[in-house]
Amino acid sequence: MSLKGSSLISISDLTEEDIQDIFHWAGLFKTAAQNKTSVGDVVNFKHSRNHTAFLVFAEASTRTRISFEIACHRLGVKVVNFSDLKNSSLAKGESLEATLTALEALGASVIVLRYKGGKLQSDCKTPIINAGFGSYEHPTQALIDAWTIQQIRGQVKGEKVLIVGDVLHSRVSNSNLKLLRRLGAKVAICSPSALQPQDDFWQGVHCFENLNEGVKWASVIMCLRIQTERHDTNVGFSIASYRDYYLVGQEQLKMFHKKGVLIHPGPYICGVEISPDVFDDSRCHIITQVKNAPFIRAAILSRVLNLELKGDKLPEGDKKKT
Ligand code: NCD
């Protein structure tokens, strides 16, 4: 089923057409921003002005929340921010389900939600966009990552993506494995045994024991943060030993593909996952990912809210249909 008017909870909710359209729209938004022209040249503003997005963030966020807010402003969609959940009815014991129903009644056209739980079961009729659900999925981040790879490498198909770090607790890597595979990339991981995923979904994904071997194989390196807030027991290694074996720094960049791409969804801990000097390397696109985030999120919002492109901006296939 198409994403038009529907929720985005998992990469599995996207059709091939959704993915290609999101990339197409994001490209139009990026070009408009680069040319300093209005998003109104790209989408029909008269539709977007009727909408209100509720940004519900029950977990810490910088990039995701702010880039959704920027995306809404550019589209002319009104924003209600709801992050102070300690002072909400949730703190009085109300369920998330009841809260979402109340937000719907208060006029939300779309609810952008980040929370600690996993896959959400909700009867809410208002579309929900997953902005990070526990260790489950983070589909909008994966779309940013794949689009960034496509923009820089020219394609995703055939790329060799090495995911380094805390794959076990990462919602980003779950969405990325689904999306990158669908787009034809090869995915491998490199992480301490305590942070390797064990579920069926990850079975068969190659795990490099040695970081340098993985780096020599890869055309894309995706580092992840060690998500200590999701570790419920002592994971059996220290930050110092992690740094010794898994930090991506100058030594790794020397053996990395000359036109490779280094990314990290952030937040990054310099000196643990990556060394600060990697930012000086032209292959490091961690800031590009942040810059790309509002364009991809504006494209996702446009699709979920069923906004319309101006006729001349339609992809060639759609122009013929009209
Ligand atoms: C990630 C997240 O919150 O899942 N970051 C992000 O959204 N850009 C990764 C993390 O928390 O480490």
Side-chain angles (χ1 to χ4, degrees), residues 133-312:
F133 284 4
S135 296
Y136 173 59
E137 273 205 51
H138 195 351
T140 69
Q141 183 62 45
L143 285 158
I144 294 164
D145 300 341
W147 191 56
T148 303
I149 294 168
Q150 180 170 295
Q151 292 231 306
I152 299 157
R153 296 275 308 153
Q155 72 283 313
V156 179
K157 193 169 184 201
E159 293 300 311
K160 295 176 183 168
V161 183
L162 179 72
I163 306 181
V164 183
D166 190 354
V167 184
L168 177 64
H169 300 98
S170 173
R171 49 199 181 200
V172 173
S173 60
N174 284 337
S175 286
N176 261 302
L177 180 61
K178 280 189 184 173
L179 181 61
L180 291 170
R181 271 185 169 165
R182 275 177 70 176
L183 295 174
K186 296 184 185 73
V187 177
I189 64 170
C190 181
S191 48
S193 54
L195 300 181
Q196 291 169 14
Q198 302 303 329
D199 50 333
D200 290 350
F201 175 57
W202 282 89
Q203 291 304 312
V205 175
H206 183 72
C207 180
F208 284 94
E209 290 195 3
N210 177 282
L211 176 61
N212 291 351
E213 291 305 314
V215 167
K216 284 184 213 155
W217 169 83
S219 57
V220 177
I221 304 172
M222 178 186 296
C223 294
L224 299 173
R225 185 177 62 89
I226 304 183
Q227 291 150 68
T228 40
E229 74 277 19
R230 300 202 178 96
H231 298 181
D232 43 23
T233 50
N234 182 349
V235 285
F237 64 85
S238 65
I239 293 296
S241 68
Y242 180 90
R243 185 187 288 130
D244 287 346
Y245 289 100
Y246 300 100
L247 176 132
V248 173
Q250 286 306 320
E251 185 193 335
Q252 285 66 41
L253 289 183
K254 278 192 199 120
M255 54 187 81
F256 185 39
H257 193 299
K258 292 282 168 284
K259 293 199 167 140
V261 172
L262 171 65
I263 53 178
H264 189 313
Y268 48 81
I269 314 297
C270 269
V272 176
E273 301 132 22
I274 44 170
S275 62
D277 50 12
V278 300
F279 285 88
D280 299 330
D281 193 291
S282 61
R283 293 165 292 177
C284 176
H285 287 282
I286 296 172
I287 302 301
T288 316
Q289 282 170 286
V290 182
K291 289 183 178 166
N292 283 341
F295 304 124
I296 284 285
R297 290 187 167 126
I300 293 165
L301 283 162
S302 303
R303 192 143 185 101
V304 168
L305 293 172
N306 221 345
L307 301 184
E308 282 176 14
L309 278 182
K310 295 254 167 99
D312 62 329

